């Protein structure tokens, strides 16, 4: 038997457990006979004939030996009784107990059974143990297919696009810059300037991350930005201190602030440029602290505006530029739209995103669809087109149903600064600032969150700290961006994306307040996404196995898996047909051909480099080479070296300190002169082409004096984007806008930002209302005109002029002409006339 098994065995005969049990009971057997077979160690032994014939049915003796014997029963009585008393059952335990003290006898009897009574093994292919894996696979496949089906339904969104009404909310358009080229920067800034949105209600807030010159550029990035905006190249503001992200003394950084008007295609849009220039001790990458630091500058600023907290010198200057030069109280801004410096935003996108925000007060973040601008440049860009489309129209559209979009792309998204009804801080809350500005990044988990995927982590923190608010995706808002077009850049980008995705999903899966319950919850979806990200390489291997089975085998092919895969990609193709996106069917085929690259090689590479926190080749800086780096001991940072002051205290200090009137009168903002090119004739003496007038940037060029003055010369004069001087000559339209906005807002809306009285918004602080006697009223003026006549003259003039074109200075000059006042009297009554203008505008608006 041993020789036959070794040479001729082709497998084992398997018998189903149900058949063994039934025939052991005699069910289905002829004449009610029972089959005496039992199971030992999953092997089946049949002693039916031995027991029925009371031993071996016949005896074969060797030659020269007689086969006569008195007994043909050669098995031990205990073994005989086990098979006779328990037919059709598993007697392994009884067998082991019977021979527990006689291992030699057990081995001899087993060899005897194996040689004479062995009939095969128990068939467990249909047992629960074997089917469990199949059940798990089937259940998971059904769950995944169901998710894909619901994503398909979420992506349909049938119906025509509705045109939203025009809105008037104040918006910050934040653009962080690093090493982008001039063409990309110009395209981005012009697309933001030409958005179908009120130019006076949006502010370009550009942050240049260090004095960096990108590969292929001939100038540093800040210089490129300022040249595009048309800033005077001779203007060089004083660098101001602020708190930055970094280790040790890297937390101390210096920045310069520029402001003005950017003209593009007939649009005139105010801008703020913050250039991080670094401290004098920095020799390479001066001021560079990363994109997260650029976002923190804006978030910290509005956090301090909201809570009226002490500000750094840089933040005070930003406050001044927005409030007094641009003419809008920083507390009026409600939304921050974040756009990368190589992104082109479609003209109607901003208004559509704002419309979604206004229709749902619980919406704290929103993103639109990101398309590729270079989809046909190389095969590297071609294989990404389908993925970009599906990630938005399937994944983000589905997550939007739960109100929990897990990643708002930093290249194109919008956040709400505070809740509209309760004034509850959202993006700028203390918890958000604390977690997102984390400096102690000392674990693998934190490094992947904060160094590689700051945009996704910002979304994660929003979901973590504001569980009762929602994130949403809208396909109506669109933008175009440049995808990596070389293999090295793609590999670097996907390494960062995959590793940060894993760690962010790990954060989200433990959040207890995500929408839904059990398997119908966002936590379950996040868990599935996390699992699918980790097992992507195994999925590709299994897909290869399926293809192999379909090609070479005619049986045992897991057809269920094949059907599910066909359903998944069939639904996606159906989506393209329904939406008439025929080109994406071709892009899907291109993607499937590149599936081993996206789902096997890149994930394996990313997991292998889990401890690589560099940005690789995504951004190349001129002068960066593979040089030996020496790590010096980190010098301890003392936060007290950066002075802090509240805006109100700072303003009062400037006012009480007194300012040089001649210097104040000489200051002119470029915004005034440039706006006059579009809204009226240039005024004599305006500093066209200079950002802040003939006296340069308006600083005393001394760092110490800068800390005390910081453009305080026009600290108390709001400035409209529509025109006006820097000192008391802002357009009357802007005065009315600021004053009316102050009176129209509810007291609770800006509790954290104290508002000036309306009578103080024009010609200085602390003035009395019109009905009271102003300072100097006892003086006998040469014209003899009482104050009532001046008020009537102001009313008449403002009722006949275009408020968008006329400035306060022009109104005062007309009043002087009507009332026959000389220049000395006009100068003495200037404050009262400004007060009259403000009051009349408040009455009209």
């Amino acid at each position: 038997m041993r020789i036959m098994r070794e040479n001729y065995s082709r497998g084992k005969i398997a018998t189903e457990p149900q058949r063994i049990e039934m025939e052991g009971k005699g069910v289905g057997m002829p004449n009610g006979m029972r089959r005496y077979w039992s199971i030992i160690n999953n092997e089946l032994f049949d002693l039916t004939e031995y027991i029925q014939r009371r031993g071996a049915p016949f005896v074969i003796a060797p030659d020269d030996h007689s086969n006569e014997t008195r007994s043909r029963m050669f098995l031990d009585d205990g073994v005989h009784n086990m098979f006779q008393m328990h037919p059709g059952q598993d007697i392994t335990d009884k067998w082991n107990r019977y021979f527990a003290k006689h291992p030699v006898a057990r081995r001899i009897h087993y060899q005897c059974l194996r040689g004479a009574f062995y009939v095969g093994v128990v068939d467990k292919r249909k047992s629960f143990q074997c089917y469990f894996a199949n059940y798990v696979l089937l259940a998971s496949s059904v769950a995944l297919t169901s998710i894909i089906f619901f994503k398909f339904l979420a992506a349909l969104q049938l119906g025509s696009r509705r045109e939203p009404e025009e809105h008037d909310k104040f918006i910050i358009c934040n653009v962080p810059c690093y090493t982008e080229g001039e063409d990309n920067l110009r395209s981005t800034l012009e697309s933001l300037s030409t958005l179908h949105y009120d130019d006076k209600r949006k502010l370009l807030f550009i942050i240049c991350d260090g004095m960096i010159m990108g590969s292929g550029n001939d100038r540093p990035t800040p210089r490129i930005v300022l040249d595009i905006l048309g800033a005077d190249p001779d203007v060089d503001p004083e660098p101001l201190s602020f708190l930055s992200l970094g280790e040790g003394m890297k937390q101390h950084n210096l920045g310069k602030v520029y402001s003005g008007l950017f003209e593009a295609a007939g649009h005139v849009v105010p801008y703020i440029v913050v250039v991080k220039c670094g401290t004098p001790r920095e020799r390479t990458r001066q001021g560079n602290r990363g994109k997260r630091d650029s976002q923190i500058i804006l978030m910290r600023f509005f956090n301090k505006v909201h809570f009226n907290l002490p500000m750094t010198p840089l933040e005070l200057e930003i406050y001044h530029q927005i409030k007094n030069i641009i003419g809008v109280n920083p507390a009026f801004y409600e939304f921050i739209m974040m756009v990368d410096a190589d992104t082109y935003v479609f003209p109607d996108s901003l208004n559509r995103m704002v419309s979604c925000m206004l229709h749902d007060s619980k919406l704290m973040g929103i993103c639109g669809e990101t398309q590729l601008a270079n989809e046909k440049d190389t095969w590297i860009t071609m294989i990404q087109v389908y993925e970009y489309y599906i990630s938005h129209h399937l994944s983000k559209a589905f997550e939007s149903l739960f109100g929990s979009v897990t990643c708002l792309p930093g290249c194109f998204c919008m956040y709400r600064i505070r809740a509209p009804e309760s004034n509850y801080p959202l993006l700028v809350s203390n918890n958000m600032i604390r977690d997102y500005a984390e400096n102690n990044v000392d674990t693998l988990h934190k490094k992947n969150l904060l160094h590689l995927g700051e945009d996704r982590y910002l979304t994660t923190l929003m979901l973590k700290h504001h569980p009762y608010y929602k994130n949403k995706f809208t396909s109506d808002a669109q933008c175009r961006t440049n995808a990596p077009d070389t293999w090295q850049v793609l590999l670097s980008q996907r390494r960062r994306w995959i590793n940060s995705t894993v760690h962010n999903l790990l954060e989200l899966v433990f959040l207890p307040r995500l929408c839904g319950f059990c398997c119908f919850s966002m936590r379950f979806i996040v868990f599935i996404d996390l699992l699918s990200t980790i097992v992507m390489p195994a999925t590709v291997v299994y897909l290869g196995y399926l293809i192999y089975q379909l090609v070479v085998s005619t049986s045992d092919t897991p057809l269920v898996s094949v059907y599910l895969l066909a359903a998944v990609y069939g639904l996606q193709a159906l989506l393209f047909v329904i939406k008439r996106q025929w080109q994406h069917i071709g892009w899907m085929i291109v993607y499937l051909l590149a599936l081993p690259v996206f789902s096997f090689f890149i994930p394996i590479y990313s997991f292998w480099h889990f401890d690589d926190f560099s940005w690789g080749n995504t951004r190349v800086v001129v002068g960066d080479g593979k040089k030996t780096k020496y790590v010096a001991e980190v010098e301890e940072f003392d936060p007290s070296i950066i002075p802090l002051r509240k805006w109100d205290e700072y303003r009062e200090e400037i006012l009480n300190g007194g300012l040089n009137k001649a210097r104040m009168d000489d200051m002119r903002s470029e915004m005034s002169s440039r706006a006059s090119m579009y809204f009226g004739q240039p005024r004599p003496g305006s500093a066209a082409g200079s950002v802040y007038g003939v006296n340069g940037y308006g600083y005393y060029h001394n760092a110490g004096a800068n800390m005390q003055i910081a453009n305080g010369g026009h600290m108390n004069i709001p400035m409209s984007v529509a025109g006006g001087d820097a000192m008391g000559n802002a357009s009357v339209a802007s005065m009315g806008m600021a004053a009316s906005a102050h009176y129209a807002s509810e007291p609770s809306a800006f509790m954290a930002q104290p508002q000036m009285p309306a009578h103080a918004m024009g010609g200085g602080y602390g003035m009395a209302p019109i009905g009271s006697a102003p300072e100097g009223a006892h003086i006998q003026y040469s014209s003899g005109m009482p104050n009532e006549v001046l008020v009537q003259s102001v009313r008449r003039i403002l009722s006949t002029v275009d408020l968008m074109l006329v400035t306060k200075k022009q109104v005062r000059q007309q009043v002087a002409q009507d009332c026959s006042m000389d220049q000395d009297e006009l100068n003495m009554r200037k404050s009262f006339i400004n007060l009259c203008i403000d009051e009349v505008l408040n009455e009209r608006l």
Side-chain angles (χ1 to χ4, degrees), residues 7-8 56 109 148 180 217 369 469 521 558 664 676 749:
N7 297 328
Y8 301 102
H109 278 79
I148 295 296
E180 293 78 9
N217 294 339
E369 178 189 356
Y469 289 82
S521 68
M664 291 169 56
S676 67

Side-chain angles (χ1 to χ4, degrees), residues 652-696:
E652 291 299 326
E653 179 180 333
I654 298 301
L655 292 176
N656 296 334
L659 295 172
N660 186 295
K661 183 177 181 301
R663 174 176 173 270
M664 291 169 56
D665 290 339
D666 285 341
M667 288 184 182
R668 297 292 184 267
S669 171
E670 182 195 19
M671 291 171 18
S672 305
S673 57
R674 296 185 66 185
S676 67
M677 298 169 59
Y678 307 98
F679 302 112
Q681 295 298 321
R683 299 182 307 281
S686 65
S690 170
V691 178
Y692 288 103
V694 295
N695 281 351

Side-chain angles (χ1 to χ4, degrees), residues 324-379:
N324 297 329
I325 303 302
I326 293 172
V328 179
N329 193 314
F332 289 172
Y333 289 97
E334 298 184 38
F335 306 104
I336 295 180
M337 181 170 133
M338 296 185 177
V339 178
D340 278 351
D342 57 355
T343 300
Y344 172 85
V345 182
F346 283 43
D348 61 343
S349 296
L350 176 57
N351 200 47
R352 291 185 178 277
M353 297 174 86
V354 173
S355 181
C356 293
M357 287 283 196
L358 296 182
H359 280 86
D360 188 353
S361 61
K362 288 295 184 180
L363 200 58
M364 63 179 174
I366 189 172
C367 69
E369 178 189 356
T370 301
Q371 303 174 0
L372 295 189
N374 57 342
E375 58 184 15
K376 297 180 181 178
D377 284 3
T378 65
W379 73 271

Side-chain angles (χ1 to χ4, degrees), residues 379-381 383-384 387 486-488 490-491 494-495 498 536-537 540-541 543 590-606:
W379 73 271
I380 294 292
T381 60
I383 62 179
Q384 301 176 68
E387 183 195 25
T486 62
W487 171 249
Q488 291 79 8
L490 176 68
L491 193 63
R494 296 310 169 110
R495 170 183 59 81
I498 291 176
M536 270 195 297
V540 176
V541 174
L543 184 60
V590 173
Y591 173 81
L592 290 177
L593 294 176
L595 196 62
V597 175
F598 271 109
S599 298
F600 184 80
F601 179 77
I602 291 181
I604 292 293
Y605 175 83
S606 302

Side-chain angles (χ1 to χ4, degrees), residues 802-838:
D802 187 347
L803 299 184
M804 294 301 297
L805 302 182
V806 69
T807 65
K808 279 190 173 183
K809 181 177 181 180
Q810 293 171 339
V811 174
R812 292 196 304 270
Q813 291 173 347
Q814 185 62 41
V815 171
Q817 183 178 351
D818 293 346
C819 299
S820 302
M821 291 190 297
D822 56 23
Q823 187 63 40
D824 292 336
E825 181 179 353
L826 177 60
N827 292 337
M828 295 177 66
R829 308 182 77 168
K830 173 181 175 181
S831 297
F832 178 75
I833 297 175
N834 286 341
L835 178 59
C836 294
I837 295 173
D838 291 337

Side-chain angles (χ1 to χ4, degrees), residues 306 331-333 418 423 741 745-755:
H306 184 86
F332 289 172
Y333 289 97
R418 61 181 178 276
N423 199 37
S745 58
E746 296 181 3
S748 62
F750 301 101
M751 288 296 291
Q753 176 56 42
Q755 301 296 310

